[in-house]
Amino acid sequence: MSQLTFDAAGARALEAIYLTPDVIAQRARVIDLLAAQPGERVLDVGVGPGLLAYDIARLVGETGQLVGLDLSAAMVAAAAERLADLPQAQVREGDAVRLDLADGSFDAVVSTQVYEYVADMPRALGELHRVLRSGGRALILDTDWRSLVWHSSDQARMDRVLACWDAHLADPHLPARLGPLLRAAGFEVRRAEILPMFSPRWQPVSYAGGMMRTIHNFVRGNGARFDLSADEIEAWRADQQALIERGEYFFSVNRYAFLATR
Ligand SMILES: C[S@@+](CC[C@H](N)C(=O)[O-])C[C@H]1O[C@@H](n2cnc3c(N)ncnc32)[C@H](O)[C@@H]1O
């Protein structure tokens, strides 16, 4: 399994995508659903560059606490820099499947675009359940890449490119299993909703615009294992460019948010 590398350059590229209007709107919806209150203790699993953590830390205020964990040292460094002026925030390295945190120590946990990278979901959700207090909230958001509608002049080639891209995740279809996984871990699912990343026309500053570069780079590095030649990958990219120039570009993929309580 090849995964994306979340090193310093990866952290910068991801941050640029997270500052596009679609992802800003997603963050606003996650913040509404989580409804963090002043004084609450909130854990962000897979904190990434810390954009969501920053907003939540400000909502819980100095009487509350925000703890951000991430497997990647580069992400921890980026988040720590962003959160440096907020004394209620702490960021450190940590693994979703082995939380170095006390039982019942959080009122709420949030994790966006992280569990799709985690192979052992029963163990990761067991850890979430353990660190939440009774009645505490968990907000989890992931993408199901099966929901992708991405127009191409050659669908068979597009399917081969996307099969390669799917390999960057432990489970590119996690949302379809999340409800039952949460219930099996002892949670009650209160709400589930779709957050589309939708570009019905080409917009360079958009989630889809950023992902064009990310997917192109990933497939160039990993295509050989999927019998995708360099020429085929460049033909796929050139086709997208031609569609953009003819005004025929279309991209839509869904993210799924689950709000559960312990
Ligand atoms: C796509 S980014 C999402 C970042 C952030 N949650 C957001 O939505 O802005 C995925 C993040 O999950 C982290 N990650 C992946 N597997 C992890 C694990 N097992 N434990 C903790 N973090 C993990 C990566 O290092 C990366 O920062």
Side-chain angles (χ1 to χ4, degrees):
M1 168 93 36
S2 305
Q3 300 221 335
L4 287 181
T5 41
F6 293 116
D7 54 11
R12 274 195 305 280
L14 197 70
E15 187 166 309
I17 294 175
Y18 286 174
L19 289 168
T20 58
D22 339 35
V23 186
I24 290 171
Q26 171 203 296
R27 251 188 327 275
R29 184 63 191 141
V30 165
I31 284 167
D32 274 356
L33 286 169
L34 188 69
Q37 302 299 313
E40 283 196 318
R41 301 156 300 168
V42 180
L43 172 65
D44 185 343
V45 177
V47 66
L51 290 156
L52 178 64
Y54 181 85
D55 289 345
I56 294 172
R58 294 197 52 199
L59 287 169
V60 300
E62 290 193 20
T63 58
Q65 187 188 23
L66 179 285
V67 177
L69 295 183
D70 204 288
L71 208 50
S72 145
M75 287 298 190
V76 168
E81 193 179 333
R82 173 160 280 113
L83 293 159
D85 294 336
L86 300 176
Q88 65 272 36
Q90 301 161 26
V91 194
R92 56 180 195 256
E93 283 183 49
D95 189 337
V97 297
R98 223 177 353 263
L99 298 177
D100 180 18
L101 297 161
D103 295 3
S105 51
F106 290 93
D107 300 297
V109 181
V110 67
S111 186
T112 61
Q113 295 288 125
V114 176
Y115 285 122
E116 56 197 32
Y117 293 89
V118 174
D120 191 346
M121 278 303 289
R123 185 165 166 194
L125 292 182
E127 281 291 86
L128 261 202
H129 193 266
R130 181 181 66 73
V131 302
L132 268 182
R133 67 161 168 82
S134 172
R137 298 140 12 242
L139 192 289
I140 299 179
L141 174 142
D142 284 283
T143 303
D144 190 331
W145 284 95
R146 224 167 357 211
S147 68
L148 177 67
V149 182
W150 192 353
H151 181 52
S152 165
S153 308
D154 183 337
Q155 192 58 44
R157 183 178 59 210
M158 175 63 99
D159 290 347
R160 281 150 50 68
V161 167
L162 295 175
C164 173
W165 170 240
D166 275 356
H168 85 288
L169 294 172
D171 184 355
H173 313 303
L174 176 62
R177 299 194 297 127
L178 253 180
L181 281 166
L182 281 162
R183 284 189 285 273
F187 288 96
E188 196 162 327
V189 177
R190 302 282 177 181
R191 191 174 177 125
E193 58 179 70
I194 294 176
L195 288 87
M197 298 283 124
F198 182 33
S199 291
R201 62 187 168 78
W202 174 247
Q203 296 156 309
V205 184
S206 65
Y207 171 77
M211 290 312 283
M212 176 83 94
R213 268 187 303 281
T214 301
I215 295 176
H216 189 206
N217 285 339
F218 182 85
V219 172
R220 277 196 292 206
N222 295 275
R225 292 190 303 117
F226 291 80
D227 283 336
L228 271 169
S229 68
D231 285 353
E232 206 174 358
I233 294 166
E234 294 321 308
W236 166 80
R237 180 67 186 83
D239 177 48
Q240 286 301 308
Q241 192 55 39
L243 290 171
I244 290 167
E245 284 163 15
R246 293 205 302 270
E248 294 173 13
Y249 176 85
F250 184 100
F251 178 103
S252 170
V253 71
N254 292 334
R255 292 178 165 187
Y256 297 81
F258 287 77
L259 179 66
T261 51
R262 186 201 147 143

